[in-house]
Amino acid sequence: MKSASGWIFVPVLFAGGLCLALLAAAPAERPADSPAAPDRIDATVTDDGRFPFAGSAREAISRMKVRPGDWPQWGGWPARNNVPDAHGIPETWNIADGTNIKWTAPLGSQSYGNSVVANGRVYVGTNNGGAYLKRFPTDVDLGVLLCFDEKTGKFLWQHSNAKLPTGRANDYPMQGVCSAVCADGDRLWYVSNRCEVVCLDAEGFHDGENDGPFRDEDNEHRDEADVVWKFDMIGKLRVHPHNMSNCSVTFAGDILFVCTSNGVDESHVRIPAPHAPSFIALDRRTGDLLWSDNSPGHYILHGQWSSPAFGVLGGAPQAIFASGDGWVYAFDPEGDGRGGSRLLWRFDANPKAAQWILGGRGGRNELISTPVLHDGRVYVAVGQDPEHGEGTGGLWCIDPTKRGDVSSELVVDARGEPIRVRRGIVPANGDRIVPNPNSAALWHYTEFDMNGDGRIDFEETLHRAISTPAIADGLLYLPDFSGLVHCVNAKTGEPHWTYDCFAAVWGSPLIADGKVYVGDEDGDVTVFEHSKALRIIAEPNMENSVYTTPIVANGVLYIANKSTLFAIGEK
């Protein structure tokens, strides 16, 4: 049986600590203003004149050169909150008999790139298992970006990326393109499996032109992509991506924000390029490097697979990166004016006592989840590479108006001087943990004793997560990799319920039309009522694992399983 909690713990921050008060779960009710009103789903990004984004997804998208109902990047907009303006979205469908299936499109054999819809086209990253181009049969392993017609699902063009010659150390076999594109007007940008930031013409060669300055395409056939420019992060910055490059870029004005995926080598101990940048900003028109930052440096734990967010928070524009050392970094999007970064704040998302142990046996985590900006706050969950298995995670709510080191704790040496922590403190050296008087932690959610028996059980724990939260009407939903979906109060961290999918969850939730959609590795898509009370509406199956995140664009629900993209809508 899948279960919900009957009791809840309320986390309350106080003077450097966290207390938990046991409350009887009040009869839950659907939020009075659910489904989310699109002009209130996020009060995160304000237009300060330099960066043209307003306070909601709908307003932000209206400032772009896309249609009002499009979902033109991962999370839809730079705040990364997957909550579109949507009505009439099906809560159930049937693949076998075609109920509510508008069209399907074959993908490769592995598909991790999240779908994006912009200006009549649907984009998704996968591998070459679909063999859309005759010159690349299925036995040729490629990273592939596919473009389909939004109305019909007809294949339009493909961008093909050969695998890196260094193999699985930098470009894991058969994983394809794992990033999502960011589209605006007649251009789109994404990070390929080759650790290149690529700018493409949305029209491909259907417009009869080869847009430049890049003009070295293998051919100009209508079914192949038109490259505008490329930025090779390995060749130009000497980064060393671990296993895969997968950042889903975003932008503010003409500034494109990118995580380079710099990480460890095959030994999982050595960092080949500690001085290479982890975060960069490019001119999205030309591909020129504007600024770079290598803050994690020698402190990278494993890989760096998160994606940046952007918002104007507390009156200050902020480019926010979740990194492979387990810290969240916020930068001035314009850098320092000399090619370097200008740090606003940084936050350690791990308890200082946590240890990093190879193979995922320790409690120190990296950040794979994308930061979400909502109501002037930053939300982020910790996790590890899925190959490391399950473990305890954590979800933070951060005040982005403070500056400097805003972690909840500090580590000081025997003299009382603050020190950086790499993989855990060393008490023998006199290291000790003290509260940080400059902490920006508003709350931290990790576990709660639902049944009040004094023990923390499986369903009472937030496990490691690679998913990104979604927030609306004061409710935050986060699946963890162990298969639990958590619903908590976004302002307080108070948990409302958990639900066990009994399968790993790789993707992130979608909140749309008063419902919450979560896909899992068994291929089930659990459809919840968007409410403080747990109610399962439906659980249709996609007939294959779902590693991606459901999205909605122009009244249509898009879900990709491992091998097929489905456009779902009422017929």
Side-chain angles (χ1 to χ4, degrees):
M1 294 292 291
K2 298 183 178 183
S3 62
S5 63
W7 294 83
I8 52 179
F9 271 90
V10 182
V12 182
L13 283 171
F14 70 98
L18 186 72
C19 71
L20 296 175
L22 180 64
L23 300 176
E29 58 185 12
R30 187 181 178 120
D33 50 356
S34 180
D39 59 343
R40 290 184 296 101
I41 54 177
D42 280 282
T44 306
V45 184
T46 57
D47 186 357
D48 74 341
R50 292 176 296 159
F51 301 104
F53 291 102
S56 74
R58 182 173 63 183
E59 291 175 275
I61 291 171
S62 73
R63 306 292 188 94
M64 299 174 63
K65 296 177 182 177
V66 296
R67 296 172 306 170
D70 286 348
W71 208 238
Q73 58 184 289
W74 158 229
W77 61 306
R80 304 299 203 179
N81 195 20
N82 193 26
V83 187
D85 181 10
H87 305 282
I89 306 304
E91 55 194 34
T92 189
W93 54 90
N94 189 300
I95 293 175
D97 65 15
T99 301
N100 286 333
I101 304 296
K102 297 176 75 68
W103 54 259
T104 66
L107 303 176
S109 60
Q110 297 282 342
S111 301
Y112 298 96
N114 291 303
S115 305
V116 162
V117 179
N119 295 322
R121 302 175 188 87
V122 183
Y123 306 96
V124 62
T126 183
N127 66 17
N128 190 45
Y132 276 93
L133 303 183
K134 291 182 179 180
R135 67 190 183 105
F136 292 130
T138 55
D139 60 351
V140 179
D141 189 8
L142 300 170
V144 165
L145 177 70
L146 296 175
C147 175
F148 301 101
D149 180 83
E150 180 183 356
K151 290 184 178 180
T152 65
K154 176 185 176 182
F155 168 69
L156 297 177
W157 53 257
Q158 170 178 310
H159 186 234
S160 311
N161 299 277
K163 303 293 284 185
L164 289 170
T166 47
R168 69 184 59 227
N170 304 125
D171 190 359
Y172 213 84
M174 303 302 294
Q175 301 307 292
V177 166
C178 295
S179 66
V181 308
C182 179
D184 188 34
D186 61 354
R187 294 289 182 266
L188 58 97
W189 303 263
Y190 84 104
V191 174
S192 76
N193 55 288
R194 296 181 60 84
C195 201
E196 296 171 326
V197 185
V198 185
C199 175
L200 301 177
D201 179 5
E203 294 282 349
F205 288 114
H206 288 255
D207 59 4
E209 300 177 355
N210 187 342
D211 295 305
F214 186 95
R215 300 187 186 278
D216 294 333
E217 292 89 348
D218 292 342
N219 58 62
E220 298 182 14
H221 297 165
R222 287 166 62 88
D223 57 1
E224 308 227 20
D226 181 4
V227 179
V228 179
W229 57 257
K230 286 184 179 181
F231 185 91
D232 182 356
M233 293 186 283
I234 295 176
K236 293 186 176 182
L237 303 177
R238 299 294 186 263
V239 304
H240 183 92
H242 180 69
N243 290 154
M244 183 57 62
S245 304
N246 75 323
C247 170
S248 296
V249 302
T250 192
F251 69 90
D254 288 322
I255 306 173
L256 192 71
F257 305 112
V258 186
C259 176
T260 67
S261 298
N262 195 37
V264 300
D265 63 9
E266 287 183 294
S267 73
H268 291 81
V269 176
R270 178 175 172 268
I271 301 171
H275 302 294
S278 291
F279 322 124
I280 63 173
L282 303 177
D283 186 320
R284 69 180 180 127
R285 300 164 299 180
T286 64
D288 293 335
L289 181 67
L290 300 177
W291 58 261
S292 63
D293 184 276
N294 74 329
S295 289
H298 291 279
Y299 297 96
I300 297 171
L301 299 172
H302 188 207
Q304 298 195 92
W305 298 300
S306 183
S307 299
F310 169 80
V312 179
L313 302 165
Q318 302 188 27
I320 298 177
F321 292 83
S323 74
D325 60 355
W327 289 65
V328 183
Y329 295 85
F331 300 98
D332 183 325
E334 296 180 299
D336 65 2
R338 301 182 300 276
S341 63
R342 189 171 82 86
L343 180 70
L344 300 177
W345 55 266
R346 59 182 181 137
F347 182 90
D348 188 355
N350 283 291
K352 295 298 187 182
Q355 301 287 323
W356 173 264
I357 302 176
L358 290 181
R361 291 167 292 148
R364 182 166 293 273
N365 292 300
E366 56 205 336
L367 293 168
I368 300 174
S369 172
T370 300
V372 169
L373 317 184
H374 178 78
D375 199 21
R377 299 178 175 192
V378 177
Y379 298 84
V380 69
V382 302
Q384 289 193 31
D385 183 338
E387 291 185 343
H388 289 180
E390 301 176 18
T392 301
L395 171 65
W396 290 96
C397 177
I398 304 168
D399 175 4
T401 63
K402 295 196 173 186
R403 296 295 179 261
D405 185 342
V406 300
S407 307
S408 63
E409 301 173 319
L410 298 175
V411 174
V412 297
D413 60 20
R415 297 173 300 173
E417 296 294 327
I419 58 175
R420 285 292 298 269
V421 175
R422 180 180 173 121
R423 299 179 181 234
I425 66 170
V426 185
N429 294 343
D431 296 353
R432 56 193 174 91
I433 300 170
V434 299
N436 182 4
N438 190 42
S439 173
L442 297 175
W443 53 260
H444 182 211
Y445 167 68
T446 56
E447 58 189 28
F448 54 97
D449 186 1
M450 294 184 294
N451 55 21
D453 65 357
R455 299 192 308 268
I456 299 298
D457 301 321
F458 176 84
E459 289 190 352
E460 300 172 331
T461 302
L462 174 64
H463 305 266
R464 293 171 182 163
I466 61 176
S467 304
T468 295
I471 311 166
D473 304 304
L475 299 180
L476 180 151
Y477 303 91
L478 175 69
D480 64 34
F481 191 69
S482 297
L484 293 183
V485 180
H486 302 257
C487 174
V488 306
N489 184 307
K491 291 189 179 297
T492 67
E494 169 192 341
H496 294 302
W497 50 261
T498 63
Y499 178 82
D500 193 348
C501 295
F502 290 101
V505 178
W506 294 60
S508 302
L510 161 71
I511 305 175
D513 195 21
K515 299 178 282 287
V516 182
Y517 298 77
V518 177
D520 65 39
E521 195 168 33
D522 281 349
D524 294 322
V525 177
T526 307
V527 184
F528 303 90
E529 182 181 273
H530 169 44
S531 172
K532 289 186 289 187
L534 173 60
R535 176 171 174 254
I536 307 302
I537 299 174
E539 198 175 40
N541 187 271
M542 304 303 297
E543 298 185 351
N544 208 332
S545 298
V546 176
Y547 294 127
T548 61
T549 297
I551 69 163
V552 165
N554 301 303
V556 177
L557 172 67
Y558 294 89
I559 300 177
N561 66 16
K562 282 175 62 175
S563 58
T564 307
L565 174 63
F566 297 85
I568 301 168
E570 295 181 357
K571 292 185 178 180

